[in-house]
């Protein structure tokens, strides 16, 4: 912060003032409750509706009091004061930080109802399907009390269910479903085919996860197109390369590079002259790099697992199988080839959007999470969001121990097993957070070898995961999970029914053990936050070794002199500080990657806005017909005999086909440009400026080309009562489409990384 300390102090004091003001409102609401309790349901609902004036909740105390009474009647929960404060902050458009187990679901529903009463449609965005369905059903009685409608959209919703749900006042849905529906809606050729209806407010649960950690994950809509790549020979050649000699890996472990020797070896094995010749640079070399990436950087059981003859990605931030995710086609194929599996079908990318660009489409974004404060910078700079910290209703009684630091991973792992066994012997439940599937399985095996029964969480579905997690607080349980298990589910002491609550509390509550520090302090705190719910006692403890990734990456080159105990434990304040330092460096790197990547993505997001406007005009008006008819009046005259709606729809189909086609080409081209921009911009301009220049020029060309091509098609294609016969002219929309996310891989670097650089295989 340094020179801007005064600025942050000033910001702090406005936050204070806001809190003071909202405490006043909450106190006033409290006074009103007894009178409102006398009203019957209809009168109470009317009273709350009457607090809305001029498009906003004008009488906030009465609004909160009315909601409190309604909440008790319908859900059996009377909101705590801190919950009421949180509702006020959400209505102001903030991201609230509220600890795990403090009741954010109710807060979100109250705020959503507030927005909906002012006539705004609200999307409550959850992190998974299970929570969308759970929360919509749980909060339904409260929402419907005011005559508002609510419905969930989940992966399993049918088309009709989605159409109905998106027309409700409040929609609960995972961000992926909203994004995929948006992409599919951008392919329609008649307004009546649209699944979504416009929304005004995004209220994001687990806001840091969606808005920061996964912000750059692109959602992809692809269409079938066949064409396979022959990867077998290349994979075989690359498998013979040796690290250090034929290729090198950069210090951050994000990129692998062929050495001259390695390139020569590949050329010999493939029987080609030069990988860098015009013939091979855009094709063979790209595939060689993909195969090398698959071989050198993607490790089985860490980055992916092989199950049922398929490669399944492991979600980097959650450490579990990511059902919907795959790598960009070429890398997916390279990994499949490496594992000797059948190479899956490739497709043409029709459209893609990052979560950040998707969230930017909402006029109002607000959110809630247990860990917002550490993401304050990102939330402000990427979304202009302010973070409000809400106090706990009950004091925190969790004890966070200092990290246990070891010199080597081996010593650390041995100590982890000892510590878990020792805690377990007392009957206290233990939740262990590990960093990947392989680690979780190795640890579970080590514990089982000591006769300790372990629940391993390799979640197959969210509901199952929630069930296991919910039981994790029962006496004597040991649950080993991969990262971030169970965001959104509360772990109750003494089992889901809290039967043995007091017994477990007497043992010290839930003990959370982290096997390494995460890339961000936020993820550490999410894990810690599993313990100490609603004022319960609890314990959290992290193990670190100087060989951990975060220490190697964050502390690159720096040395700590340490004097370990005989068992390898290093107790020194300086080492603790060094670990904190390493984590801050890693956080800084992630932030830098995020802002660099967003610089590239933002322009495409702007272009997409323009495209959307054009699409809307083509869908909702007779623009398409007017433009084509004025370009070619003779052709228009020939079609004179057709009914207006047929002519207009034919023109619409033609225009939209070419617009969508050009946009898909544009996305592929810009990916390509982004990959090579560092070469193109040689010493002339900064890469990002050069990228912008090309993007703006290409987008303008796109707009013109789309209309020119449409005019050509208009002149040539057969148009009759059945509309424009585009297929006959070879203009065919993909017969089937599918959606997936490109993995938010920690290996992905900034603009010139291997992963983001694979854009050119998208064509
Ligand atoms: P969070 O999302 O903040 O982690 P949840 O919304 O899952 O928390 O709620 C945690 C638990 O607290 C739930 O069991 C819920 O029923 C309970 N709860 C929340 N608010 C209240 C309240 N005002 N009164 C009683 N119980 C509440
Ligand atoms: Mg929650």
């Amino acid at each position: 912060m340094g020179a801007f300390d005064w600025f942050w102090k000033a910001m702090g004091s406005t936050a204070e003032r806001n809190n003071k003001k909202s405490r006043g409102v909450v106190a006033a609401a409290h006074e009103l409750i007894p009178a409102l309790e006398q009203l019957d349901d209809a009168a109470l609902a009317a009273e709350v509706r009457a607090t809305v004036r001029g498009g906003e909740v004008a009488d906030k105390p009465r609004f909160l009091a009315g909601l409190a009474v309604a909440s008790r009647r319908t859900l059996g929960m009377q909101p705590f004061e801190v919950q009421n404060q949180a509702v006020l902050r959400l209505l102001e458009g903030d991201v609230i930080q509220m600890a795990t187990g403090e009741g954010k679901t109710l807060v979100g529903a109250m705020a959503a109802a507030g927005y909906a009463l002012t006539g705004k449609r609200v999307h409550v965005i959850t992190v998974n399907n299970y929570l969308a369905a759970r929360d919509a059903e749980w909060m339904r009685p409260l929402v419907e009390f005011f005559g508002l409608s609510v419905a969930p959209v989940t992966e399993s919703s049918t088309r009709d269910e989605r159409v109905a749900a998106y027309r409700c006042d409040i929609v609960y849905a995972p961000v992926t479903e909203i994004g995929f529906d948006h992409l599919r809606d951008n392919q329609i050729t008649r307004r009546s085919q649209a699944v979504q209806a416009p929304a005004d407010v995004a209220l994001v649960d687990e806001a840091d996860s969606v808005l920061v950690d996964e912000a750059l994950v692109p959602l992809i809509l692809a269409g079938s197109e066949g064409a396979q790549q022959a990867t077998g020979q290349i994979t075989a050649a690359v498998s013979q390369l040796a690290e250090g000699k034929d290729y090198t890996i950069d210090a951050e472990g994000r990129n692998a590079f062929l050495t001259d020797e390695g390139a020569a070896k590949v050329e010999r094995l493939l029987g080609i002259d030069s990988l860098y010749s015009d013939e091979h640079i855009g094709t063979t070399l790209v595939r060689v790099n993909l195969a090398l990436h698959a071989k050198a950087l993607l490790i089985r059981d860490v980055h992916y697992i092989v199950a049922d003859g398929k490669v399944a990605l492991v979600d980097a931030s959650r450490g579990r199988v990511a059902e919907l995710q795959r790598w960009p086609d070429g890398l997916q194929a390279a990994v499949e080839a490496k594992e000797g599996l059948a190479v899956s079908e490739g497709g043409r990318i029709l459209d893609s959007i990052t979560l950040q660009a998707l969230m930017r489409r909402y006029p109002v974004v607000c959110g809630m999470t247990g860990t917002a404060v550490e993401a304050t910078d990102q939330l402000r700079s990427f979304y202009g969001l302010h973070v409000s910290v809400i106090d706990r209703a009950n004091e925190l009684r969790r004890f966070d121990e200092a990290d246990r630091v070891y010199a080597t991973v081996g010593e650390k792992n041995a100590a982890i097993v000892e510590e878990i066994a020792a805690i377990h012997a007392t009957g206290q439940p233990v939740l262990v957070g590990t960093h990947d599937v392989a680690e979780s399985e190795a640890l579970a095996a080590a514990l089982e070898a000591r006769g300790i029964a372990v629940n391993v969480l390799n979640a197959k579905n969210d509901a199952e995961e929630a069930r296991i997690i919910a039981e994790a607080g029962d006496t004597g349980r040991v649950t080993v999970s991969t990262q971030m298990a169970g965001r959104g589910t509360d772990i109750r002491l003494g089992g889901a029914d809290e039967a043995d609550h007091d017994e477990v509390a007497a043992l010290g509550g839930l003990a959370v053990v982290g096997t390494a520090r995460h890339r961000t302090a936020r993820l550490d705190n999410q894990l810690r936050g599993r313990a100490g719910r609603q004022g319960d006692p609890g314990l959290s403890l992290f193990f670190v070794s100087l060989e951990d990734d975060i220490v190697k990456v964050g502390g690159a080159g720096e040395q700590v002199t340490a004097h370990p105990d005989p068992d390898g434990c290093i107790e020194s304040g300086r080492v603790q500080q060094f670990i904190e330092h390493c984590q801050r460096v890693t956080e800084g790197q992630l932030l830098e990657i995020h802002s660099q990547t967003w610089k590239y993505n933002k322009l495409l997001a702007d272009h997409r806005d323009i495209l959307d406007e054009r699409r809307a005009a083509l869908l909702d008006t007779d623009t398409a017909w007017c433009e084509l008819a004025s370009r070619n009046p003779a052709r228009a005259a020939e079609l004179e005999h057709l009914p207006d709606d047929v002519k207009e729809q034919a023109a619409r189909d033609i225009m939209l086909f070419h617009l969508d086609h050009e946009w898909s080409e544009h996305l592929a081209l810009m990916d390509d440009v982004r990959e090579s921009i560092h070469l193109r911009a040689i010493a002339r301009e900064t890469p990002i400026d050069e990228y912008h220049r090309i993007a703006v020029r290409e987008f303008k060309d796109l707009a013109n080309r789309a209309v020119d091509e449409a005019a050509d098609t208009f002149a040539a294609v057969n148009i009759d009562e059945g509309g424009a016969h585009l297929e006959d002219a070879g203009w065919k929309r993909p017969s089937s489409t599918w959606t997936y996310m490109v993995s938010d891989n920690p290996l992905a670097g900034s603009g010139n990384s291997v992963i983001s650089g694979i854009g050119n295989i998208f064509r």
Side-chain angles (χ1 to χ4, degrees):
M1 288 185 199
F4 287 102
D5 276 355
W6 59 270
F7 175 73
W8 296 112
K9 287 217 183 87
M11 293 289 287
S13 63
T14 47
E16 272 304 301
R17 270 201 298 280
N18 283 338
N19 273 337
K20 228 183 224 156
K21 213 172 105 195
S22 61
R23 270 195 286 272
V25 174
V26 171
H30 192 73
E31 300 293 308
L32 294 170
I33 289 182
L36 293 178
E37 270 173 343
Q38 307 304 314
L39 303 175
D40 66 15
D41 287 0
L44 179 61
E47 187 78 13
V48 170
R49 274 195 297 267
T51 63
V52 173
R53 280 188 295 275
E56 60 170 33
V57 179
D59 186 347
K60 295 208 168 71
R62 189 164 296 273
F63 168 80
L64 287 177
L67 248 77
V69 175
S71 166
R72 199 161 70 191
R73 281 187 199 171
T74 55
L75 304 174
M77 289 190 278
Q78 166 110 10
F80 302 120
E81 288 193 4
V82 284
Q83 286 178 308
N84 280 331
Q85 272 166 26
V87 172
L88 291 177
R89 299 320 306 159
L90 284 177
L91 289 174
E92 296 291 330
D94 282 356
V95 171
I96 55 154
Q97 161 151 324
M98 214 177 163
T100 320
E102 291 284 296
K104 288 186 286 292
T105 316
L106 176 59
V107 166
M110 289 169 69
Y115 278 117
L117 286 170
T118 66
K120 296 190 168 81
R121 180 174 288 123
V122 185
H123 286 176
V124 182
I125 294 174
T126 61
V127 277
N128 61 43
N129 291 295
Y130 163 73
L131 290 173
R134 183 198 75 174
D135 293 354
E137 290 320 315
W138 186 10
M139 295 295 134
R140 178 184 299 283
L142 176 65
V143 174
E144 290 183 345
F145 187 89
F146 301 105
L148 299 167
S149 53
V150 57
V153 173
T154 68
E155 200 179 352
S156 58
S157 304
T158 63
R159 199 196 127 82
D160 288 349
E161 284 165 352
R162 283 167 201 262
V163 169
Y166 281 119
R167 278 145 193 82
C168 288
D169 299 304
I170 301 174
V171 187
Y172 281 83
V175 67
T176 44
E177 289 309 306
I178 292 180
F180 290 143
D181 282 333
H182 172 69
L183 290 177
R184 282 186 288 254
D185 269 0
N186 261 357
Q187 301 287 317
I188 60 172
T189 53
R190 289 169 197 263
R191 184 54 85 187
S192 59
Q193 296 163 337
V195 164
Q196 287 185 332
D200 308 285
V201 181
L203 198 163
V204 188
D205 194 7
E206 307 293 353
D208 59 325
S209 167
V210 173
L211 298 178
V212 177
D213 297 334
E214 312 213 344
L216 297 176
V217 175
L219 303 179
I220 310 262
L221 178 73
S224 56
E225 218 167 52
Q228 281 315 316
Q229 302 168 342
T231 39
Q233 211 193 352
I234 289 173
T235 303
V238 167
S239 71
Q240 300 187 29
L241 302 181
E243 185 179 347
K245 186 157 153 286
D246 299 321
Y247 65 90
T248 55
I249 296 178
D250 71 2
E252 293 171 356
R254 289 204 169 109
N255 280 310
F257 304 97
L258 278 181
T259 60
D260 289 348
E261 202 178 336
K265 190 162 174 182
V266 172
E267 285 158 2
R268 203 170 60 245
L269 288 166
L270 294 179
I272 61 173
D273 267 356
S274 166
L275 280 170
Y276 301 93
S277 68
D278 284 352
E279 183 192 348
H280 292 294
I281 195 161
T283 53
T284 317
L285 180 60
V286 170
R287 276 186 240 153
V288 167
N289 278 329
L290 288 167
L292 180 61
H293 191 100
K295 170 185 158 68
L297 302 176
L298 295 178
I299 302 162
R300 183 165 169 169
D301 289 338
V302 173
H303 301 110
Y304 64 94
I305 61 172
V306 175
D308 303 332
K310 287 201 190 88
V311 168
L313 268 68
V314 172
D315 184 312
S317 59
R318 292 186 209 147
R320 63 159 110 153
V321 172
E323 295 292 347
L324 287 169
Q325 297 195 15
R326 52 185 275 148
W327 287 299
D329 283 345
L331 187 58
Q332 187 84 16
V335 174
E336 285 161 349
K338 167 183 157 189
E339 294 291 341
L341 304 169
V343 174
S344 57
E345 193 184 356
R348 176 192 173 83
I349 305 284
L350 301 174
D351 201 357
S352 78
I353 188 168
T354 60
L355 297 191
Q356 186 160 351
L358 183 69
M359 297 317 299
R360 237 174 51 119
R361 302 175 50 80
Y362 291 90
V364 176
V365 176
C366 58
M368 44 196 196
T369 170
T371 44
V373 168
E374 303 94 330
T376 302
D377 287 354
Q378 285 97 325
L379 292 170
R380 188 186 52 242
S381 60
F382 297 122
Y383 302 93
L385 286 169
H386 178 260
V387 171
S388 280
V389 179
I390 307 294
D391 293 336
R392 291 169 184 271
N394 302 291
E395 202 184 321
L396 179 65
R397 285 169 60 212
R398 184 187 70 222
F399 184 67
D400 299 329
E401 277 193 33
D403 292 352
R404 305 245 178 113
V405 185
Y406 293 83
T408 66
V409 174
E411 288 162 332
K412 181 183 83 167
N413 287 344
I416 291 172
V417 173
E418 288 306 322
E419 181 68 30
I420 294 171
I423 301 175
H424 175 68
T426 70
Q428 191 176 1
V430 188
L431 174 72
V432 191
T434 62
H435 290 247
D436 55 60
V437 177
E439 191 194 353
S440 68
E441 283 175 353
L443 179 59
L447 289 168
E448 268 158 9
R450 307 253 316 220
I452 300 172
V454 179
N455 273 329
V456 183
L457 211 70
N458 287 336
K460 277 153 215 83
N461 68 62
D462 302 321
E464 174 84 348
E465 171 177 332
R467 199 186 53 71
I468 295 178
I469 277 283
E471 291 299 332
D474 209 353
T475 323
R477 289 288 161 128
V478 177
T479 309
V480 174
S481 76
T482 42
Q483 270 185 62
M484 295 315 312
R487 257 206 200 226
T489 38
D490 55 343
I491 303 181
R492 301 180 183 195
L493 298 188
D497 59 358
E498 300 190 79
D500 303 326
H501 179 279
D502 297 348
E503 184 191 327
V504 177
L507 291 169
L510 179 68
V512 167
V513 174
T515 60
R517 293 285 287 265
H518 296 87
R519 288 181 294 157
T520 70
R522 234 164 358 91
L523 296 175
D524 291 345
N525 290 341
Q526 277 288 345
L527 183 60
R528 289 189 206 282
R530 302 297 117 193
R533 161 193 177 279
Q534 299 258 317
D536 286 337
L539 170 75
S540 83
L541 167 61
F542 277 79
F543 286 81
V544 182
S545 98
L546 298 181
E547 292 175 347
D548 287 357
D549 280 351
I550 172 162
V551 179
K552 280 194 292 194
V553 173
E558 289 179 51
Q559 292 290 327
V560 277
T561 40
H563 305 287
D565 296 355
D567 66 355
C569 187
I570 306 166
E571 277 184 50
S572 132
R574 234 162 19 84
V575 172
Q576 300 274 350
Q577 276 171 18
F578 176 67
I579 307 286
E580 301 286 334
H581 163 78
C582 292
Q583 192 174 48
R584 276 196 301 276
V585 171
T586 319
E587 284 172 354
Q589 285 171 352
L590 287 173
L591 179 59
E592 179 60 19
I593 289 170
H594 192 160
S595 22
Q596 283 302 328
T597 312
W598 177 240
K599 275 188 201 158
Y600 285 93
N601 287 346
K602 183 173 180 310
L603 193 68
L604 276 185
D606 290 342
H607 286 168
R608 164 181 284 285
D609 290 347
I610 299 172
L611 185 92
D612 281 3
E613 240 172 75
R614 170 75 175 160
R615 262 198 136 261
L618 292 173
L619 278 173
D620 298 331
T621 70
D622 59 359
T623 298
W625 173 256
C626 295
E627 285 182 20
L628 291 176
S630 79
R631 297 259 300 222
N632 192 343
R635 177 71 172 141
E638 279 169 34
L639 302 171
E640 199 55 59
H641 63 283
L642 293 172
D644 281 351
D645 57 339
V646 171
K647 286 188 301 194
E648 282 167 17
Q649 187 57 39
R652 195 171 284 137
D653 285 342
I654 292 170
M655 280 288 215
L656 286 171
F657 179 88
H658 288 289
L659 186 67
D660 294 344
H661 188 79
E662 292 295 332
W663 174 247
S664 147
E665 299 266 299
H666 182 69
L667 289 178
L669 175 74
M670 291 320 297
D671 261 329
D672 220 5
V673 171
R674 180 147 101 180
E675 181 193 16
S676 57
I677 197 71
H678 294 268
L679 305 174
R680 289 192 204 198
I682 311 164
R684 204 155 55 86
E685 279 181 276
T686 59
I688 187 71
D689 290 341
E690 178 72 358
Y691 175 87
H692 273 217
R693 204 178 53 71
I694 297 171
V696 169
R697 183 191 69 207
E698 290 295 331
F699 187 70
K700 213 155 106 202
D701 284 357
L702 173 164
N704 291 331
R705 217 166 33 238
V707 178
D708 289 348
E709 302 234 332
D712 290 350
T713 303
F714 181 63
V717 82
N718 177 25
I719 299 173
D720 58 22
E721 268 82 4
H725 293 269
L726 285 165
E727 285 87 355
D728 301 350
W731 298 122
K732 197 166 167 304
R733 282 185 180 267
S735 48
S736 70
T737 63
W738 65 94
T739 54
Y740 59 92
M741 295 187 261
V742 171
S743 166
D744 174 22
N745 197 302
L747 297 167
S750 49
N752 61 347
S753 85
V754 178
I755 299 231
S756 61
I758 312 174
N760 54 2
I761 56 147
F762 281 176
R763 276 180 306 183

